[in-house]
Amino acid sequence: MKRRIPLPPCLELTIFAPFFNPVDAASAVNDCGFFHLFALRTSAEQTAAMRTVAPLRNHVNHIARHAHVIAHSEQNALANRIAPCQTLAMANRAGGSADTGRMMLWSAFWRGSTRDGCTAAFPPAAQQAISAGWQALFAGRPRTTRILDIACGRGAVLAVAAEAGIDSRIGVDLADGDSIGSPDAQILGGVDARHLPFADRSFDLVVSQFGLEYAGLDEAVDEAARVTGGEIAWLLHAAEGAVVQQAREQIAQADWIDHDLGGLTAIARGPAALGPLLSEVIEAARTAANTALLEGFYHHAQALAAQGDPALIDRFAADWREHRARMADLVRAAPDAGMAARACKRLADAGFDVELTDLCSADALVGRWLKGRRRC
């Protein structure tokens, strides 16, 4: 009888995306064809699964041996995917601010991401709840409704508005325009949510999905209220929620692997040096609540150490540290219940009737809807 082992819900993690799907323990292969070693808790399960997955792993290794072709064709892209500590250091040396480093960091993310990149790895039930919320918001509105999406990424929410038949759709994001271009709407890059390039009450509806708060909630709320002539609807991160908790876990795991174990530098020394380190990763994964990042390191590190391509190893290290920086940015930005209540008060003082509701999935807090309508 087949037994399904559910993995915990996970965050977006661009380079480790294959490891997020649930695993069928009987076949030991997930939807993307990779083995979730850490979902199997006993040595007997692991041994049986390894025998099953061996042919598939050989195929994966065959693909990895040819990956250097991709690396050589992406040399220009590598220059744009710099580790966040290097990115921020470069910005400071150039006289830039932390916002410059953040713009570079998120531009790199969106350049390599799908339109739904910030929610693509959420559990299906959470994705459905978020989508249903936007569909209900846009349903029945006139085609001429003027919509602004703040911190829009590649326009996932604007695409839902397009499906509802709304023609006037504008998005803004701190990331540069080249990384977030969309054929479905007018999207402007390099825009700070604290300083929107629009006149007062320019829009009928101002929306944001897990983005407005990155600019600093108080200032972003005031600026969004200024350009809103009708309604606002924002889906905010929740500092007490599952998404932020998993971000904290992944930050701790990333730091442990990178700094305590020296995992990213060990890859270049080859399989022999990596072996003892991977054993520690396996042991850590036995008790971890969220194993996605540990699994990602285990599989990628093995393949990269065997191949020994310096360009791919450097790319992996840069992507790893970029992800860690994005998770830190998420944790920093996520408002708690008190901050969300303060945002409601600011909107009320600005002339809005406001409501704040939790968005939950499977009894886990995913985020908070903050909605309001201008009174006059």
Side-chain angles (χ1 to χ4, degrees), residues 112-351:
S113 178
T114 58
R115 184 161 59 189
D116 62 347
C118 73
T119 60
F122 280 24
Q127 292 184 42
Q128 184 176 4
I130 292 170
S131 178
W134 292 120
Q135 290 171 2
L137 179 72
F138 296 134
R141 292 183 182 269
R143 298 183 67 89
T144 55
T145 301
R146 298 166 298 170
I147 294 178
L148 172 67
D149 185 0
I150 300 175
C152 65
R154 302 192 74 171
V157 174
L158 294 174
V160 180
E163 292 172 359
I166 298 174
D167 294 328
S168 179
R169 306 180 308 278
I170 295 177
V172 296
D173 199 281
L174 185 63
D176 66 65
D178 291 340
S179 64
I180 57 172
S182 169
D184 300 324
Q186 180 184 358
I187 293 181
L188 308 176
V191 176
D192 188 335
R194 298 167 297 184
H195 306 287
L196 298 174
F198 306 111
D200 294 357
R201 304 195 183 193
S202 298
F203 298 94
D204 302 309
L205 176 62
V206 174
V207 301
S208 183
Q209 174 176 279
F210 298 137
L212 185 84
E213 57 268 42
Y214 282 86
L217 193 57
D218 287 348
E219 291 179 274
V221 163
D222 291 347
E223 183 68 347
R226 180 185 67 80
V227 302
T228 304
E231 298 175 60
I232 57 95
W234 306 327
L235 180 56
L236 304 174
H237 280 301
E240 313 92 324
V243 173
V244 178
Q245 176 57 35
Q246 289 187 25
R248 293 193 184 99
E249 292 172 359
Q250 290 196 350
I251 290 168
Q253 291 169 354
D255 288 345
W256 175 65
I257 287 175
D258 191 3
H259 302 302
D260 296 351
L261 298 184
L264 299 184
T265 57
I267 296 173
R269 298 199 297 271
L274 196 61
L277 184 151
L278 291 180
S279 296
E280 293 196 49
V281 173
I282 291 173
E283 288 304 312
R286 293 184 189 280
T287 56
N290 181 357
T291 63
L293 186 138
L294 298 174
E295 292 181 58
F297 178 81
Y298 178 88
H299 290 287
H300 284 75
Q302 282 193 116
L304 289 166
Q307 185 178 352
D309 187 319
L312 288 180
I313 294 172
D314 288 347
R315 170 67 175 268
F316 177 78
D319 283 347
W320 177 278
R321 290 171 178 143
E322 282 183 358
H323 174 73
R324 194 268 183 212
R326 285 192 296 271
M327 293 301 95
D329 206 23
L330 187 159
V331 170
R332 176 200 61 80
D336 60 22
M339 295 170 66
R342 188 172 68 201
C344 289
K345 184 178 185 308
R346 296 179 82 92
L347 283 171
D349 291 345

